[in-house]
Structure formats: structure tokens, C-alpha cells
Amino acid sequence: MTIQDFDILVATAQHVDYAQKICDEMAESAKARGTGIAQRSPEYVADKMLEGKAVIALHKKGTWAGFCYIETWSHGDFVANSGLIVDPQFRKVGLAKAIKHKIFELSRTKYPEAKLFGLTTGLAVMKINNELGYGPVTYSELTQDEDFWKGCKSCVNYDILTSKERKNCMCTAMLFDPAEKQKEVEDKIKKLTHKATLLERIENAIKKTIHHE
């Protein structure tokens, strides 16, 4: 079994029947890991599919294999790719990574100026986020939208979060800031242009020297 055995696509109305199975798997996975996950109802998951704000992975035989959805906070200034889940029978083939890449592309298309962020305890997710350009940040750099933090109430570590006044918890906060990335690109271009100009000057100086000789 390889990643080629799966279709990874933007979920639509035809996928809403998978909503219950997805929610059940999310709950099981959280229990197995001993960590929290914001609990979502099948109706909520189905709504994300209908809004075009979710990515689903299906095995070529039609079996559900994985899922992730987009949430927006602070009037769309912040976007989170939440609820990443892969059916245990289909793990170890790179599905989580493929789904994360697809939902990242979808988020960037729908909300090009938004900051993308995530809270995770999983090393694998941290590595994928890092590849996508996310960096670790303090909780103060995330959305301060109360509705987002209410989602942490179903987590086993919620008491830790509140006792630390939402400054940190067991999860690592990661952020992708498009404005910052754009600046990095511009800075690289400036440096390359500067180097090219410098080389041009050196070449011209050499030419002049040879010409005078």
C-alpha cells in the first residue's frame, strides 16, 4: 500500500456520510494518545464539507482514510487546520503529510493574507508544519478569540492551560505568517540582486584593467 492508492481531495456534499465515522475516530485517537482534541459533532464536520473547508482522503476502493478541516478566527485574520485524523489501518504511508499539504494549499487559496496556526503535541505534525514554513511561537502570538480557547475545554490538559493563564500548555504553538514569508523572499531577492550588482562591478573593473593594459 502506497500514497498512490489514495485520492486526497477537497470534501463536498457527497462526503457528508463519513462525518460520524470521522468524529468517532477523532475521539478514539484522542483517548489512545491521552491528549485532548476539540470535540466536534458530525453536523459540524458535515458543515465544513459543505462549505468547501475540508480535505478528505479516500482509498481507491472507496473507504474513508483521513480528514482535516479549516477553522477561521478573529474575523479571518487567523486560520487553523484542525482535526487531522488518519484511520489507523492506513497509517505509515504518508497520508497525514499529504492531507496537511492539501489543506495548507486550500487555506492559502481561501485566506491568502491570514496567519495559519496550530497547537499540537505530536512530533510528526510539528515536522510537517515545519516543512510547510511554520515556526514555533508563544501563545500570545495566536488568536485571542475566546471561541478558539473554548475548544480546549474538552482537553485533558485544560486545567494546566487555565492555571498558566493561557500563556502555555502541553501543546507547542506554531505559526505561518504570510507577510513574514513575503518579507523573507523579498530580502533574499535583495541580497541576490546586491550580489549580482557587485559581480557586475568587479567584472567591469577587470575589463577596464585589461583594456588599459
Side-chain angles (χ1 to χ4, degrees), residues 35-186:
T35 57
I37 191 167
Q39 287 171 357
R40 297 299 182 211
S41 66
E43 291 76 21
Y44 183 90
V45 167
D47 281 344
K48 287 294 172 186
M49 293 177 179
L50 296 171
E51 290 167 4
K53 294 179 182 176
V55 164
I56 193 165
L58 301 170
H59 188 266
K60 59 187 177 186
K61 290 180 181 174
T63 317
W64 171 79
F67 184 74
C68 193
Y69 61 87
I70 296 170
E71 289 185 299
T72 57
W73 310 100
S74 307
H75 309 291
D77 289 342
F78 286 86
V79 167
N81 296 157
S82 305
L84 176 65
I85 190 76
V86 172
D87 189 307
Q89 66 176 315
F90 298 126
R91 286 176 189 166
K92 308 289 183 196
V93 293
L95 258 186
K97 186 175 179 176
I99 293 168
K100 279 286 283 183
H101 277 258
K102 184 78 173 176
I103 197 86
F104 179 80
E105 283 171 25
L106 184 62
S107 303
R108 295 285 292 121
T109 304
K110 280 185 169 287
Y111 307 96
E113 292 176 19
K115 292 178 179 179
L116 274 71
F117 75 99
L119 280 173
T120 183
T121 53
L123 184 61
V125 174
M126 285 181 216
K127 282 180 178 175
I128 298 166
N129 282 348
N130 189 52
E131 282 173 22
L132 291 168
Y134 286 71
V137 293
T138 59
Y139 282 26
S140 62
E141 289 190 55
L142 306 181
T143 179
Q144 295 309 306
D145 193 316
E146 286 302 321
D147 283 340
F148 168 73
W149 296 100
K150 277 179 194 168
C152 293
K153 281 187 178 177
S154 54
C155 175
V156 292
N157 300 317
Y158 187 64
D159 287 346
I160 299 170
L161 180 71
T162 50
S163 69
K164 295 196 174 186
E165 298 174 331
R166 284 197 332 214
K167 286 174 184 166
N168 56 54
C169 194
M170 304 305 285
C171 280
T172 296
M174 298 189 81
L175 184 79
F176 174 94
D177 185 344
E180 209 172 85
K181 292 294 163 190
Q182 182 62 33
K183 190 176 180 304
E184 280 176 23
V185 170
E186 285 168 5

